[in-house]
């Protein structure tokens, strides 16, 4: 199959809608990362997403809607908290898990009776849903296990030959995937941290929002898994990544002792000048939003440079930083060196 990249335009958006309506897949930009979109109601179309990504069959997809009317087409009922959260954060990078509506294909939710729903704020994604009249299911547009793509060229790198069309909408705003929050219980539970934080949601709801333990720890055999995506290897570049947890002087001393062929650092802006090995930077130390925006791109650039070992500076875990830490610790397969 030939894969074509087209800049977002009247014509390319029309073509994306045609592909979705005819049961095919198309890569589209969102405000978080690029996604592979297909009609959420069409099980056969959804199977093509799983095939293109090489995604495990038991990992459910997120359904993207254009407006609140469409929400009623994809869920069985709307939990009370969902209205307040939608009011505050939709359109935007927040996915809410709710009881699944009958029209949504079994394949979309990997057989679960719940569905993850979000309303993207990216105008191209919004336009495609609006014009096709269909909610699309879309996982991140990477080969399963690799860093999520935040620009069209990175989508092409993974998806060349696997889907017909990539709509190029430039660089994604957030750079990490949406926050996933389950609304199935009494208190909301964050299953995947993102740009919208637990504190943001607590401020709106006036009640406690819980964090799933799996956010910062690995899922062990036998653990109950609320979000199937959390048990797989994720976001990993080809290199072995290690988070080196300590202050900058300790980090520098550690890296000095380890320098050699293929050894790289993933560090904060400005630190590269003081380190003895080649570095890729991922934002200012105190700016979690910049780190979120740059992280996946930085991991892919380390692959371009053929890094084999990467020592990474640990991001702060507060606010949006928790999303950065969650992605990086998975990219590092939970290897943390405490100094
Ligand atoms: O920002 C995003 O959410 C991007 C863009 C393309 O919208 N999409 C994305 O999809 O990150 P994906 O498939 O890479 O991640 C979906 C996550 C997985 O961890 C999955 O397990 C979880 O959401 N999820 C989806 N439906 C679920 C459900 N019903 N219950 C629990 N977790 C669910
Ligand atoms: Mg993903």
């Amino acid at each position: 199959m030939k894969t074509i990249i087209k800049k977002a335009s009247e014509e390319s958006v029309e073509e994306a809608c045609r592909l979705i309506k005819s049961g095919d897949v198309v890569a589209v930009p969102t405000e978080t990362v690029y996604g592979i979109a297909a009609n959420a109601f069409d099980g056969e179309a959804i199977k093509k997403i799983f095939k293109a990504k090489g995604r495990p069959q038991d990992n459910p997809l997120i359904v993207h809607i254009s407006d609140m009317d469409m929400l009623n087409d994809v869920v069985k009922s709307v939990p009370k908290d969902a209205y307040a959260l939608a009011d505050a954060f939709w359109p935007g990078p927040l996915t809410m898990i709710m009881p699944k509506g009958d029209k949504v294909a079994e394949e979309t939710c990997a057989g679960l009776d719940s569905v993850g729903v979000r309303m993207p704020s990216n105008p191209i994604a919004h336009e495609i849903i609006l014009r096709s009249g269909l909610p699309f299911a879309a996982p991140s547009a990477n080969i399963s296990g690799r860093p999520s793509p935040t620009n069209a060229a990175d989508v092409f790198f993974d998806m060349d030959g696997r889907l017909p069309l990539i709509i190029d909408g430039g660089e994604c705003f957030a750079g990490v995937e949406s926050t996933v929050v389950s609304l199935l219980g009494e208190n909301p539970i964050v299953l995947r941290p993102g740009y919208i934080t637990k504190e943001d949601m607590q401020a709106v709801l006036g009640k406690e929002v819980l964090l799933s333990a799996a956010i910062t720890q690995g899922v062990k055999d036998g653990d109950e898994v609320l979000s199937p995506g959390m048990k797989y290897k994720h976001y990993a570049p080809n290199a072995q990544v290690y988070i080196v947890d300590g202050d900058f002087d300790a980090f520098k001393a550690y890296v000095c002792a380890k320098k050699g062929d293929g050894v790289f650092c993933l560090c904060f802006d400005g630190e590269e000048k003081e380190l003895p090995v080649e570095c890729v930077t991922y934002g200012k130390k105190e700016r979690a939003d910049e780190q979120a925006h740059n992280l996946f791109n930085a991991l892919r650039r380390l692959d371009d440079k053929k890094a084999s070992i990467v020592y990474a500076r640990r991001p702060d875990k507060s606010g949006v930083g928790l999303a950065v830490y969650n992605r990086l610790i998975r990219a590092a397969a939970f290897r943390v060196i405490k100094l």
Side-chain angles (χ1 to χ4, degrees), residues 63-111:
V63 174
H64 298 64
I65 59 172
S66 55
D67 49 70
M68 290 307 271
D69 284 344
M70 205 177 248
L71 180 61
N72 295 311
D73 284 345
V74 302
V75 302
K76 183 153 272 155
S77 56
V78 183
K80 196 164 58 28
D81 291 339
Y83 289 110
L85 292 174
D87 239 16
F89 304 115
W90 277 1
L94 178 67
T95 296
M96 299 188 234
I97 309 292
M98 310 189 212
K100 174 185 167 301
D102 294 335
K103 282 171 76 179
V104 175
E106 291 278 316
E107 289 83 353
T108 300
C109 302

Side-chain angles (χ1 to χ4, degrees), residues 267-271 280-287 290-291 294-295:
C267 62
F268 301 124
D269 293 359
E271 295 178 345
V280 169
T281 59
Y282 75 113
K284 291 192 216 45
K285 183 171 186 297
E286 63 289 352
R287 289 290 299 273
E290 285 184 12
Q291 294 160 24
N294 296 326
L295 178 66

Side-chain angles (χ1 to χ4, degrees), residues 28 30 32-36 53 55 59-62 64 93 95 97-98 108-109 112 114-116 118 138-142 148 176-180 184 191-192 226-230 234:
V28 299
T30 83
T32 57
V33 300
Y34 276 72
I36 305 174
K53 277 186 66 99
R55 183 178 175 102
N59 194 4
L61 306 180
I62 291 169
H64 298 64
T95 296
I97 309 292
M98 310 189 212
T108 300
C109 302
L112 297 177
S114 61
V115 60
R118 83 178 192 93
S140 49
N142 50 283
S148 301
V176 288
E177 306 87 344
S178 60
T179 305
V180 177
L184 300 176
L191 304 182
R192 178 175 73 181
L226 293 178
S227 180
M230 290 195 295
H234 246 114

